[in-house]
């Protein structure tokens, strides 16, 4: 689904303006996503409880189409996260815009995941998993990698994407339930399952259950992830975006301009926050 934002000009914007006008926006329908259209989108998002960013993405479009949005991230969820982390709301809005996948769930209602076969191999070794006929975790991992290279492998890759990632996860769970769940990244912020203990869940099964509930739970896991890393939390509080991006995204952050995107997003939302 197309995402519409400030300065876009097309028929989709015209349709959006007509939808907003049907709800009383009073826009001139010219197909230009100007400041008045942006404000009308923010007003609609505020009324429906959605994240107030002025961007007409899939979630705003779903709400306008009358779809159920109960499981989606709400503005109040971000406000609570900002309060818990001790940072301005604009910082959390910026992170949500830049670092999240945009949607925490697939169209079939399952959480967005990405299964990592190389992590599955590592987790099997960590759990000391042994097939009776093989005797050692290393021999077991090698045998499983030969038999199921798409599920257990020393090399990253083998991604299927979308709903097919759940099929890979299901296969992994048949081998070892906990290792399988630990080997996927989950939800809006793609938190790896193996972090479950460090971020305060009773088990990886509880973590996975929470990630399947709603996007607020997924944001909650991300907040815990930041709290568990003192240096990451400190960088966020100081708005040192390059340091935050390096610690969260790794060495490739500069190539992908994550720090630049976070800086710009913060400036955008800081202005909106002051104007609110």
């Amino acid at each position: 689904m197309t995402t519409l934002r400030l300065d876009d000009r097309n028929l989709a914007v015209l349709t959006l303006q007509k939808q907003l006008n049907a709800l009383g926006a009073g826009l001139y329908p010219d197909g230009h996503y100007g400041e008045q259209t942006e404000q009308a989108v923010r007003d609609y998002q505020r009324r429906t409880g959605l994240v107030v960013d002025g961007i007409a993405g899939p979630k705003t479009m779903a709400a306008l189409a009358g779809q159920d949005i109960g499981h989606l991230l709400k503005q109040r969820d971000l406000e609570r996260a900002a309060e818990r982390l001790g940072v301005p709301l604009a910082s959390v809005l910026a992170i949500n815009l830049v670092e999240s996948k945009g949607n925490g769930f697939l169209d079939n209602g399952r959480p967005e995941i990405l299964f990592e076969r190389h992590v599955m191999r590592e987790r099997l070794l960590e759990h000391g998993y042994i097939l009776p006929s093989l005797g050692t975790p290393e021999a077991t991992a090698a045998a499983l990698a030969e038999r199921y290279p798409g599920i257990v492998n020393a090399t990253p890759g083998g991604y299927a994407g979308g709903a097919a990632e759940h099929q890979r996860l299901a296969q992994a769970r048949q081998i070892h339930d906990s290792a399988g769940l630990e080997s996927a990244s989950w939800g809006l912020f793609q938190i790896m399952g193996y972090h479950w203990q460090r971020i305060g869940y009773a088990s990886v099964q509880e973590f996975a259950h929470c990630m399947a509930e709603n996007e607020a739970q997924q944001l909650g896991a991300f907040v815990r992830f930041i709290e568990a890393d003192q240096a990451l939390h400190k960088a966020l509080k100081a708005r040192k975006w390059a340091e935050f991006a390096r610690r969260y995204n790794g060495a490739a952050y500069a190539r992908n301009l994550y720090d630049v995107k976070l800086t710009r997003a913060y400036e955008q939302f800081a202005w909106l926050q002051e104007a609110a």
Side-chain angles (χ1 to χ4, degrees):
M1 186 179 292
T2 302
T3 294
L4 304 173
R5 63 187 74 221
L6 190 64
D7 288 334
D8 282 349
R9 296 175 184 267
N10 51 51
L11 288 175
V13 174
L14 179 61
T15 299
L16 170 66
Q17 290 171 327
K18 291 179 178 179
Q19 288 176 303
L20 292 169
N21 282 343
L23 298 170
L27 297 169
Y28 178 68
D30 57 1
H32 174 220
Y33 203 117
E35 291 183 359
Q36 289 184 328
T37 299
E38 184 183 53
Q39 183 60 51
V41 169
R42 287 202 299 268
D43 291 342
Y44 176 73
Q45 291 169 333
R46 191 172 289 110
R47 289 198 305 272
T48 55
L50 289 171
V51 175
V52 182
D53 57 12
I55 299 169
K59 297 176 183 179
T60 299
M61 297 300 195
L64 283 166
Q67 297 177 21
D68 179 23
I69 59 171
H71 65 294
L72 299 181
L73 198 64
K74 305 296 193 299
Q75 183 76 1
R76 64 177 179 270
D77 299 323
L78 294 178
E79 291 169 354
R80 290 168 183 160
E83 182 177 356
R84 177 167 169 172
L85 291 170
V87 299
L89 176 60
S91 292
V92 179
L93 283 165
I95 291 170
N96 181 59
L97 180 63
V98 175
E99 299 289 2
S100 85
K101 290 180 66 66
N103 287 291
F105 288 85
L106 301 168
D107 291 340
N108 62 13
R110 288 185 171 185
E112 184 81 48
I113 67 165
L114 189 66
F115 181 79
E116 301 285 0
R117 65 185 187 183
H118 67 291
V119 177
M120 179 65 175
R121 178 181 177 277
E122 294 168 1
R123 300 314 298 169
L124 287 171
L125 291 171
E126 182 69 22
H127 284 284
Y129 180 62
I130 299 173
L131 289 172
S133 61
L134 293 172
T136 68
E138 291 75 16
T140 297
L144 289 170
E146 185 175 351
R147 186 172 182 182
Y148 307 107
I151 305 301
V152 182
N153 206 304
T155 305
Y159 306 115
E165 290 296 318
H166 280 276
Q167 296 174 10
R168 298 177 70 213
L169 175 60
Q171 285 183 273
R173 295 183 71 178
Q174 288 180 348
I175 296 171
H176 191 289
D177 188 63
S178 292
L181 293 171
E182 290 169 348
S183 301
S185 57
W186 295 79
L188 278 171
F189 299 94
Q190 290 294 282
I191 304 297
M192 287 298 302
Y194 63 74
H195 290 299
W196 65 267
Q197 190 170 26
R198 187 169 72 89
I199 60 178
Y201 291 89
S203 65
V204 69
Q205 287 78 14
E206 182 196 36
F207 168 79
H209 174 77
C210 290
M211 296 308 94
E213 282 194 4
N214 52 53
E215 290 184 348
Q217 289 277 14
Q218 295 173 3
L219 175 64
F222 179 70
V223 169
R224 294 187 189 200
F225 184 82
I226 293 176
E227 289 177 325
D229 186 330
Q230 187 175 7
L232 184 66
H233 196 178
K234 184 178 180 180
L236 175 60
K237 284 186 171 182
R239 295 194 289 280
K240 293 182 177 179
W241 296 118
E243 178 69 6
F244 179 87
R246 182 183 70 80
R247 290 186 173 277
Y248 186 67
N249 296 292
Y253 84 90
R255 185 169 65 249
N256 294 311
L257 300 178
Y258 284 119
D259 57 326
V260 175
K261 293 173 183 176
L262 284 165
T263 299
R264 291 174 178 171
Y266 175 79
E267 291 170 352
Q268 170 191 347
F269 292 125
W271 181 85
L272 290 176
Q273 194 170 315
E274 292 168 4

